[in-house]
Coordinates of all heavy atoms in Angstrom, one line a residue:
M266 N 0.8 -1.2 0.0 CA 0.0 0.0 0.0 C 0.9 1.3 0.0 O 0.4 2.3 -0.5 CB -0.9 0.0 1.2 CG -1.9 1.1 1.2 SD -3.4 0.7 1.9 CE -3.8 2.1 2.9
S267 N 2.1 1.2 0.5 CA 2.9 2.3 0.6 C 3.3 2.9 -0.8 O 3.2 4.1 -1.0 CB 4.2 2.0 1.3 OG 4.1 2.3 2.6
P268 N 3.6 2.0 -1.8 CA 3.9 2.6 -3.1 C 2.7 3.4 -3.7 O 2.9 4.4 -4.4 CB 4.2 1.4 -4.0 CG 4.7 0.4 -3.0 CD 3.9 0.6 -1.8
L269 N 1.5 2.9 -3.5 CA 0.3 3.6 -4.0 C 0.2 5.0 -3.3 O -0.1 6.0 -3.9 CB -1.0 2.8 -3.7 CG -2.3 3.5 -4.1 CD1 -2.3 3.7 -5.6 CD2 -3.5 2.7 -3.6
L270 N 0.3 5.0 -2.0 CA 0.3 6.3 -1.2 C 1.3 7.2 -1.7 O 1.1 8.4 -1.8 CB 0.3 6.0 0.3 CG -0.8 5.3 0.9 CD1 -0.6 5.0 2.4 CD2 -2.1 6.0 0.7
L271 N 2.5 6.7 -1.9 CA 3.6 7.6 -2.4 C 3.4 8.1 -3.8 O 3.7 9.3 -4.1 CB 5.0 6.8 -2.3 CG 5.5 6.6 -0.9 CD1 6.7 5.7 -0.9 CD2 5.7 7.9 -0.1
T272 N 2.8 7.3 -4.6 CA 2.4 7.7 -6.0 C 1.4 8.9 -5.9 O 1.5 9.9 -6.6 CB 1.9 6.6 -6.8 OG1 2.9 5.5 -6.8 CG2 1.6 7.0 -8.2
V273 N 0.4 8.7 -5.1 CA -0.7 9.7 -5.0 C 0.0 11.0 -4.4 O -0.4 12.1 -4.8 CB -1.8 9.2 -4.1 CG1 -2.8 10.3 -3.8 CG2 -2.5 8.1 -4.8
A274 N 0.9 10.8 -3.4 CA 1.5 12.0 -2.9 C 2.3 12.7 -3.9 O 2.4 14.0 -4.0 CB 2.4 11.6 -1.7
L275 N 3.0 12.0 -4.8 CA 3.7 12.6 -5.9 C 2.8 13.4 -6.9 O 3.1 14.5 -7.3 CB 4.6 11.6 -6.7 CG 5.8 11.1 -6.0 CD1 6.5 10.0 -6.8 CD2 6.8 12.2 -5.8
V276 N 1.6 12.8 -7.1 CA 0.7 13.5 -8.0 C 0.2 14.8 -7.3 O 0.1 15.8 -8.0 CB -0.5 12.6 -8.3 CG1 -1.6 13.3 -9.0 CG2 -0.1 11.4 -9.2
L277 N 0.0 14.7 -6.0 CA -0.4 15.9 -5.3 C 0.7 17.0 -5.3 O 0.4 18.2 -5.4 CB -0.8 15.6 -3.9 CG -2.2 14.9 -3.7 CD1 -2.4 14.5 -2.3 CD2 -3.3 15.8 -4.2
M278 N 1.9 16.5 -5.2 CA 3.0 17.5 -5.3 C 3.2 18.1 -6.6 O 3.6 19.3 -6.7 CB 4.3 16.8 -4.8 CG 4.4 16.6 -3.3 SD 6.1 16.1 -2.8 CE 5.8 14.4 -2.4
A279 N 2.8 17.4 -7.7 CA 2.8 18.0 -9.0 C 1.7 19.0 -9.1 O 1.9 20.1 -9.7 CB 2.5 16.9 -10.1
G280 N 0.6 18.8 -8.4 CA -0.4 19.8 -8.3 C 0.0 21.1 -7.6 O -0.3 22.2 -7.9
I281 N 0.8 20.8 -6.5 CA 1.4 22.0 -5.8 C 2.3 22.8 -6.7 O 2.3 24.0 -6.7 CB 2.1 21.5 -4.5 CG1 1.1 20.9 -3.5 CG2 3.0 22.6 -3.9 CD1 1.8 20.3 -2.3
A282 N 3.1 22.1 -7.5 CA 4.0 22.8 -8.4 C 3.2 23.6 -9.5 O 3.6 24.7 -9.8 CB 4.9 21.8 -9.1
A283 N 2.1 23.0 -10.0 CA 1.3 23.7 -10.9 C 0.7 24.9 -10.3 O 0.6 26.0 -10.9 CB 0.2 22.8 -11.5
G284 N 0.3 24.8 -9.0 CA -0.3 25.9 -8.3 C 0.7 27.0 -8.1 O 0.4 28.2 -8.1
L285 N 2.0 26.6 -7.8 CA 3.0 27.6 -7.6 C 3.2 28.4 -8.9 O 3.4 29.7 -8.9 CB 4.3 26.9 -7.2 CG 5.5 27.8 -6.8 CD1 5.1 28.7 -5.6 CD2 6.7 27.0 -6.5
I286 N 3.1 27.8 -10.1 CA 3.3 28.5 -11.3 C 2.1 29.5 -11.5 O 2.3 30.6 -11.9 CB 3.3 27.5 -12.5 CG1 4.6 26.7 -12.4 CG2 3.2 28.2 -13.8 CD1 4.7 25.5 -13.4
R287 N 0.9 29.0 -11.1 CA -0.3 29.9 -11.2 C -0.2 31.1 -10.3 O -0.6 32.2 -10.6 CB -1.6 29.1 -11.0 CG -2.8 29.9 -11.0 CD -3.0 30.7 -12.3 NE -3.3 29.8 -13.4 CZ -3.4 30.3 -14.6 NH1 -3.3 31.5 -14.9 NH2 -3.7 29.4 -15.6
V288 N 0.4 30.9 -9.1 CA 0.6 32.0 -8.2 C 1.5 33.0 -8.8 O 1.4 34.2 -8.7 CB 1.1 31.5 -6.8 CG1 1.6 32.6 -5.9 CG2 -0.1 30.8 -6.1
A289 N 2.6 32.5 -9.4 CA 3.6 33.4 -10.0 C 3.1 34.2 -11.2 O 3.4 35.4 -11.3 CB 4.8 32.6 -10.4
I290 N 2.3 33.6 -12.1 CA 1.9 34.2 -13.3 C 0.4 34.5 -13.4 O 0.0 34.9 -14.5 CB 2.4 33.4 -14.5 CG1 1.7 32.1 -14.6 CG2 3.9 33.3 -14.6 CD1 1.9 31.3 -15.9
G291 N -0.3 34.2 -12.3 CA -1.8 34.4 -12.4 C -2.2 35.7 -12.9 O -1.6 36.7 -12.4
P292 N -3.1 35.8 -13.8 CA -3.4 37.1 -14.3 C -4.2 38.0 -13.4 O -4.1 39.2 -13.4 CB -4.2 36.8 -15.6 CG -4.7 35.4 -15.4 CD -3.7 34.7 -14.5
T293 N -5.0 37.4 -12.5 CA -5.8 38.1 -11.6 C -5.5 37.7 -10.2 O -5.0 36.6 -9.9 CB -7.3 37.9 -11.9 OG1 -7.6 36.6 -11.6 CG2 -7.7 38.2 -13.3
P294 N -5.8 38.6 -9.2 CA -5.6 38.2 -7.8 C -6.5 37.0 -7.4 O -6.1 36.2 -6.5 CB -6.0 39.4 -7.0 CG -5.8 40.5 -8.0 CD -6.1 40.0 -9.3
S295 N -7.6 36.8 -8.0 CA -8.5 35.7 -7.7 C -7.8 34.4 -8.1 O -7.9 33.4 -7.4 CB -9.8 35.8 -8.4 OG -10.5 36.9 -7.9
D296 N -7.1 34.4 -9.3 CA -6.4 33.2 -9.7 C -5.3 32.8 -8.7 O -5.1 31.7 -8.4 CB -5.8 33.4 -11.1 CG -6.9 33.5 -12.2 OD1 -8.0 32.9 -12.0 OD2 -6.6 34.1 -13.2
R297 N -4.6 33.8 -8.3 CA -3.5 33.6 -7.3 C -4.1 33.1 -6.0 O -3.5 32.2 -5.4 CB -2.8 34.9 -7.1 CG -2.0 35.3 -8.3 CD -1.1 36.5 -8.0 NE -0.2 36.7 -9.1 CZ -0.2 37.8 -9.9 NH1 -1.0 38.7 -9.6 NH2 0.7 37.9 -10.9
M298 N -5.2 33.6 -5.5 CA -5.8 33.2 -4.3 C -6.3 31.7 -4.4 O -6.0 30.9 -3.5 CB -7.0 34.0 -3.9 CG -7.6 33.7 -2.6 SD -9.0 34.7 -2.2 CE -10.2 34.3 -3.4
M299 N -6.9 31.4 -5.5 CA -7.4 30.0 -5.7 C -6.2 29.0 -5.8 O -6.3 27.9 -5.3 CB -8.3 29.9 -6.9 CG -9.6 30.6 -6.8 SD -10.5 30.1 -5.3 CE -10.9 28.4 -5.8
A300 N -5.1 29.5 -6.5 CA -3.9 28.6 -6.6 C -3.3 28.4 -5.2 O -2.9 27.3 -4.9 CB -2.9 29.2 -7.5
A301 N -3.3 29.4 -4.4 CA -2.7 29.3 -3.0 C -3.6 28.3 -2.2 O -3.0 27.5 -1.4 CB -2.6 30.6 -2.3
Q302 N -4.9 28.4 -2.4 CA -5.8 27.4 -1.7 C -5.6 26.0 -2.2 O -5.6 25.1 -1.4 CB -7.2 27.9 -1.8 CG -7.6 29.1 -1.0 CD -7.3 28.9 0.5 OE1 -7.7 27.9 1.1 NE2 -6.5 29.8 1.0
L303 N -5.4 25.9 -3.5 CA -5.1 24.5 -4.0 C -3.8 24.0 -3.4 O -3.7 22.8 -3.1 CB -5.0 24.6 -5.6 CG -4.4 23.4 -6.2 CD1 -5.4 22.3 -6.2 CD2 -4.0 23.6 -7.6
M304 N -2.8 24.8 -3.3 CA -1.5 24.4 -2.8 C -1.7 24.0 -1.3 O -1.1 23.0 -0.9 CB -0.5 25.5 -2.9 CG 0.0 25.8 -4.3 SD 1.0 27.2 -4.5 CE 2.2 27.1 -3.3
G305 N -2.4 24.7 -0.6 CA -2.7 24.4 0.8 C -3.4 23.1 1.0 O -3.0 22.2 1.8
T306 N -4.4 22.9 0.2 CA -5.2 21.7 0.3 C -4.4 20.5 -0.2 O -4.5 19.4 0.4 CB -6.5 21.8 -0.6 OG1 -7.2 22.9 -0.2 CG2 -7.4 20.6 -0.5
S307 N -3.6 20.6 -1.2 CA -2.8 19.5 -1.7 C -1.7 19.2 -0.6 O -1.4 18.0 -0.4 CB -2.1 19.9 -3.0 OG -3.1 20.1 -4.0
G308 N -1.2 20.2 0.0 CA -0.2 20.0 1.0 C -0.8 19.2 2.2 O -0.1 18.3 2.7
I309 N -2.0 19.5 2.6 CA -2.7 18.8 3.6 C -2.8 17.3 3.2 O -2.6 16.4 4.0 CB -4.0 19.4 4.0 CG1 -3.8 20.7 4.7 CG2 -4.8 18.5 4.9 CD1 -5.0 21.6 4.8
G310 N -3.2 17.1 1.9 CA -3.3 15.8 1.4 C -2.0 15.0 1.5 O -2.0 13.8 1.8
V311 N -1.0 15.7 1.1 CA 0.4 15.0 1.1 C 0.7 14.6 2.5 O 1.2 13.5 2.8 CB 1.4 15.9 0.5 CG1 2.8 15.4 0.8 CG2 1.2 16.1 -1.0
I312 N 0.5 15.5 3.5 CA 0.8 15.2 4.9 C 0.0 14.0 5.4 O 0.5 13.1 6.0 CB 0.6 16.4 5.8 CG1 1.6 17.5 5.4 CG2 0.6 16.0 7.2 CD1 1.4 18.8 6.1
L313 N -1.3 14.0 5.0 CA -2.2 12.9 5.4 C -1.8 11.6 4.8 O -1.9 10.5 5.4 CB -3.6 13.2 5.1 CG -4.3 14.2 6.0 CD1 -5.7 14.5 5.5 CD2 -4.3 13.7 7.4
L314 N -1.3 11.6 3.6 CA -0.8 10.4 2.9 C 0.5 9.9 3.5 O 0.8 8.7 3.5 CB -0.6 10.6 1.4 CG -2.0 10.7 0.6 CD1 -1.7 11.1 -0.8 CD2 -2.7 9.4 0.7
L315 N 1.4 10.8 3.9 CA 2.7 10.5 4.4 C 2.6 10.0 5.9 O 3.5 9.3 6.3 CB 3.7 11.6 4.3 CG 4.1 12.0 2.9 CD1 5.1 13.1 3.0 CD2 4.7 10.8 2.2
A316 N 1.5 10.3 6.6 CA 1.4 9.9 8.0 C 1.5 8.4 8.2 O 2.3 7.9 9.0 CB 0.2 10.4 8.6
P317 N 0.7 7.6 7.4 CA 0.8 6.1 7.6 C 2.1 5.6 7.0 O 2.7 4.6 7.5 CB -0.4 5.5 6.9 CG -0.9 6.6 6.0 CD -0.4 7.9 6.5
V318 N 2.6 6.2 5.9 CA 3.8 5.7 5.3 C 5.0 5.8 6.2 O 5.8 4.9 6.3 CB 4.1 6.4 3.9 CG1 5.4 6.0 3.4 CG2 3.0 6.1 2.9
L319 N 5.1 7.0 6.9 CA 6.2 7.2 7.8 C 6.0 6.7 9.2 O 6.8 6.8 10.0 CB 6.5 8.7 7.8 CG 7.0 9.3 6.5 CD1 7.1 10.8 6.6 CD2 8.2 8.7 6.0
A320 N 4.7 6.3 9.4 CA 4.3 5.8 10.8 C 4.5 6.8 11.8 O 5.0 6.6 12.9 CB 5.1 4.5 11.1
V321 N 4.1 8.1 11.5 CA 4.1 9.2 12.4 C 2.7 9.7 12.5 O 2.2 10.5 11.7 CB 5.1 10.3 11.9 CG1 5.1 11.5 12.9 CG2 6.5 9.7 11.7
P322 N 1.9 9.3 13.5 CA 0.5 9.7 13.7 C 0.4 11.2 14.0 O -0.7 11.8 13.8 CB 0.0 8.9 14.8 CG 1.1 8.0 15.3 CD 2.3 8.3 14.5
A323 N 1.4 11.8 14.5 CA 1.4 13.3 14.8 C 1.2 14.1 13.5 O 0.7 15.2 13.6 CB 2.6 13.7 15.5
L324 N 1.5 13.5 12.4 CA 1.3 14.3 11.1 C -0.2 14.5 10.8 O -0.6 15.5 10.2 CB 1.9 13.5 9.9 CG 3.4 13.5 9.9 CD1 3.9 12.7 8.7 CD2 3.9 15.0 9.7
I325 N -1.0 13.7 11.3 CA -2.5 13.9 11.2 C -2.9 15.1 11.9 O -3.7 15.9 11.5 CB -3.3 12.6 11.6 CG1 -2.9 11.4 10.7 CG2 -4.8 12.9 11.7 CD1 -3.5 10.1 11.2
D326 N -2.4 15.3 13.1 CA -2.7 16.5 13.9 C -2.1 17.8 13.2 O -2.8 18.8 13.2 CB -2.0 16.4 15.3 CG -2.6 15.3 16.1 OD1 -3.8 14.9 15.9 OD2 -1.9 14.8 17.0
V327 N -1.0 17.6 12.6 CA -0.4 18.8 11.8 C -1.3 19.1 10.7 O -1.6 20.3 10.4 CB 1.0 18.4 11.4 CG1 1.5 19.5 10.4 CG2 1.9 18.3 12.5
A328 N -1.8 18.1 10.0 CA -2.8 18.3 8.9 C -4.0 19.0 9.3 O -4.6 19.9 8.6 CB -3.1 17.0 8.2
L329 N -4.5 18.6 10.5 CA -5.8 19.3 11.0 C -5.5 20.7 11.3 O -6.3 21.6 11.0 CB -6.2 18.5 12.2 CG -6.9 17.2 12.0 CD1 -7.2 16.5 13.3 CD2 -8.2 17.3 11.2
I330 N -4.4 21.0 11.9 CA -4.0 22.4 12.2 C -3.9 23.2 10.9 O -4.4 24.4 10.8 CB -2.8 22.5 13.1 CG1 -3.1 21.9 14.4 CG2 -2.2 23.9 13.1 CD1 -1.9 21.8 15.3
F331 N -3.2 22.6 9.9 CA -3.1 23.3 8.6 C -4.5 23.6 8.0 O -4.7 24.6 7.4 CB -2.2 22.5 7.6 CG -0.8 22.7 7.9 CD1 0.1 21.9 7.2 CD2 -0.3 23.6 8.8 CE1 1.5 22.0 7.4 CE2 1.1 23.7 9.1 CZ 2.0 22.9 8.3
S332 N -5.4 22.6 8.1 CA -6.7 22.9 7.5 C -7.5 24.0 8.3 O -8.2 24.8 7.6 CB -7.5 21.6 7.6 OG -7.8 21.2 8.9
L333 N -7.3 24.1 9.6 CA -7.9 25.2 10.3 C -7.2 26.6 9.8 O -7.9 27.6 9.7 CB -7.7 25.1 11.8 CG -8.5 24.0 12.4 CD1 -8.2 23.8 13.9 CD2 -10.0 24.3 12.3
L334 N -5.9 26.6 9.6 CA -5.2 27.8 9.2 C -5.7 28.1 7.8 O -5.7 29.3 7.4 CB -3.7 27.6 9.3 CG -3.2 27.5 10.7 CD1 -1.7 27.3 10.7 CD2 -3.4 28.8 11.4
A335 N -6.0 27.1 7.0 CA -6.5 27.4 5.6 C -7.7 28.2 5.6 O -7.9 29.1 4.8 CB -6.6 26.1 4.8
A336 N -8.6 27.9 6.5 CA -9.9 28.7 6.6 C -9.6 30.1 7.0 O -10.2 31.1 6.5 CB -10.8 28.0 7.7
V337 N -8.6 30.3 7.9 CA -8.2 31.7 8.3 C -7.6 32.4 7.1 O -7.8 33.6 6.9 CB -7.3 31.6 9.5 CG1 -6.7 33.0 9.8 CG2 -7.9 31.1 10.7
A338 N -6.8 31.7 6.3 CA -6.2 32.3 5.1 C -7.2 32.7 4.1 O -7.1 33.8 3.5 CB -5.2 31.3 4.5
V339 N -8.2 31.9 3.9 CA -9.3 32.3 3.0 C -10.0 33.6 3.5 O -10.2 34.5 2.7 CB -10.3 31.2 2.8 CG1 -11.6 31.7 2.1 CG2 -9.8 30.1 2.1
T340 N -10.2 33.7 4.8 CA -10.8 34.9 5.3 C -9.9 36.1 5.1 O -10.4 37.2 4.7 CB -11.1 34.7 6.8 OG1 -12.0 33.5 7.0 CG2 -11.8 35.9 7.4
A341 N -8.6 35.9 5.4 CA -7.7 37.0 5.2 C -7.6 37.5 3.8 O -7.6 38.7 3.5 CB -6.3 36.6 5.7
F342 N -7.5 36.5 2.8 CA -7.5 36.9 1.4 C -8.7 37.7 1.0 O -8.7 38.7 0.3 CB -7.4 35.6 0.5 CG -6.0 35.1 0.4 CD1 -5.8 33.7 0.5 CD2 -4.9 35.9 0.2 CE1 -4.5 33.2 0.4 CE2 -3.6 35.3 0.1 CZ -3.4 34.0 0.2
T343 N -9.9 37.2 1.4 CA -11.1 37.8 1.1 C -11.2 39.2 1.6 O -11.6 40.2 0.9 CB -12.3 37.0 1.5 OG1 -12.2 35.6 1.0 CG2 -13.6 37.5 1.1
R344 N -10.9 39.4 2.9 CA -11.0 40.7 3.5 C -10.0 41.7 2.9 O -10.3 42.8 2.7 CB -10.7 40.6 5.0 CG -11.8 40.0 5.8 CD -11.6 40.1 7.3 NE -11.5 41.4 7.7 CZ -12.5 42.2 8.1 NH1 -13.7 41.8 8.1 NH2 -12.2 43.4 8.6
R345 N -8.8 41.2 2.5 CA -7.8 42.1 1.9 C -8.3 42.5 0.5 O -8.2 43.6 0.1 CB -6.5 41.3 1.8 CG -5.4 42.2 1.1 CD -4.0 41.5 1.2 NE -3.0 42.4 0.7 CZ -2.5 42.3 -0.5 NH1 -2.9 41.4 -1.3 NH2 -1.6 43.2 -0.9
R346 N -8.9 41.6 -0.2 CA -9.4 41.9 -1.5 C -10.5 42.9 -1.4 O -10.6 43.8 -2.2 CB -9.9 40.6 -2.2 CG -10.4 40.9 -3.6 CD -10.4 39.6 -4.5 NE -11.1 39.8 -5.7 CZ -10.7 40.4 -6.7 NH1 -9.5 41.0 -6.7 NH2 -11.4 40.5 -7.8
L347 N -11.4 42.7 -0.5 CA -12.5 43.7 -0.3 C -12.0 45.0 0.1 O -12.6 46.1 -0.3 CB -13.5 43.1 0.7 CG -14.3 41.9 0.2 CD1 -15.2 41.4 1.4 CD2 -15.2 42.2 -1.0
T348 N -11.0 45.1 1.0 CA -10.5 46.3 1.4 C -9.8 47.1 0.3 O -9.9 48.3 0.2 CB -9.5 46.1 2.6 OG1 -10.1 45.3 3.6 CG2 -9.0 47.4 3.2
N349 N -9.1 46.4 -0.6 CA -8.3 47.1 -1.6 C -9.3 47.6 -2.7 O -9.0 48.6 -3.4 CB -7.4 46.1 -2.3 CG -6.2 45.8 -1.4 OD1 -5.9 46.5 -0.5 ND2 -5.5 44.8 -1.7
H350 N -10.4 47.0 -2.9 CA -11.3 47.5 -4.0 C -12.5 48.3 -3.4 O -13.3 48.8 -4.2 CB -11.9 46.3 -4.8 CG -10.8 45.6 -5.5 ND1 -10.3 46.1 -6.7 CD2 -10.2 44.4 -5.3 CE1 -9.3 45.3 -7.1 NE2 -9.2 44.2 -6.3
G351 N -12.6 48.4 -2.1 CA -13.7 49.3 -1.6 C -15.1 48.7 -1.8 O -16.0 49.5 -1.7
D352 N -15.2 47.4 -2.0 CA -16.5 46.8 -2.2 C -17.2 46.5 -0.8 O -16.7 46.2 0.1 CB -16.4 45.5 -2.9 CG -15.9 45.7 -4.4 OD1 -16.6 46.5 -5.0 OD2 -15.0 45.1 -4.8

């Protein structure tokens, strides 16, 4: 089962790399924000996949904390965007 989990983790890391490119060249701030959220979600997935492979259950707690921080990041991105445009 480990090779399957590692393969899926590699696919998710490829998604993170694609998201990094989108953050760098994204034409609009919304594209950059969505790419950053994709990277965060994929990172959480990678951590959750690596937890059983590495036999470190604490990684699940780290993933949960990152998911909570992702919700805060969405709020911060949204508030910053609304503040900059006066909407």
Side-chain angles (χ1 to χ4, degrees):
M266 186 147 138
S267 267
L269 176 66
L270 293 177
L271 290 175
T272 303
V273 173
L275 285 175
V276 170
L277 287 175
M278 284 193 250
I281 291 172
L285 188 60
I286 292 170
R287 178 54 72 185
V288 167
I290 63 170
T293 65
S295 297
D296 292 334
R297 291 187 172 117
M298 182 178 71
M299 293 303 295
Q302 289 302 310
L303 169 73
M304 291 170 49
T306 304
S307 297
I309 291 167
V311 168
I312 290 172
L313 286 174
L314 288 172
L315 289 180
V318 172
L319 298 176
V321 180
L324 287 177
I325 295 172
D326 296 334
V327 172
L329 287 172
I330 290 171
F331 281 173
S332 66
L333 290 173
L334 290 176
V337 173
V339 167
T340 304
F342 279 138
T343 305
R344 288 189 57 91
R345 182 171 185 260
R346 180 160 168 78
L347 291 177
T348 305
N349 287 344
H350 294 285
D352 294 306

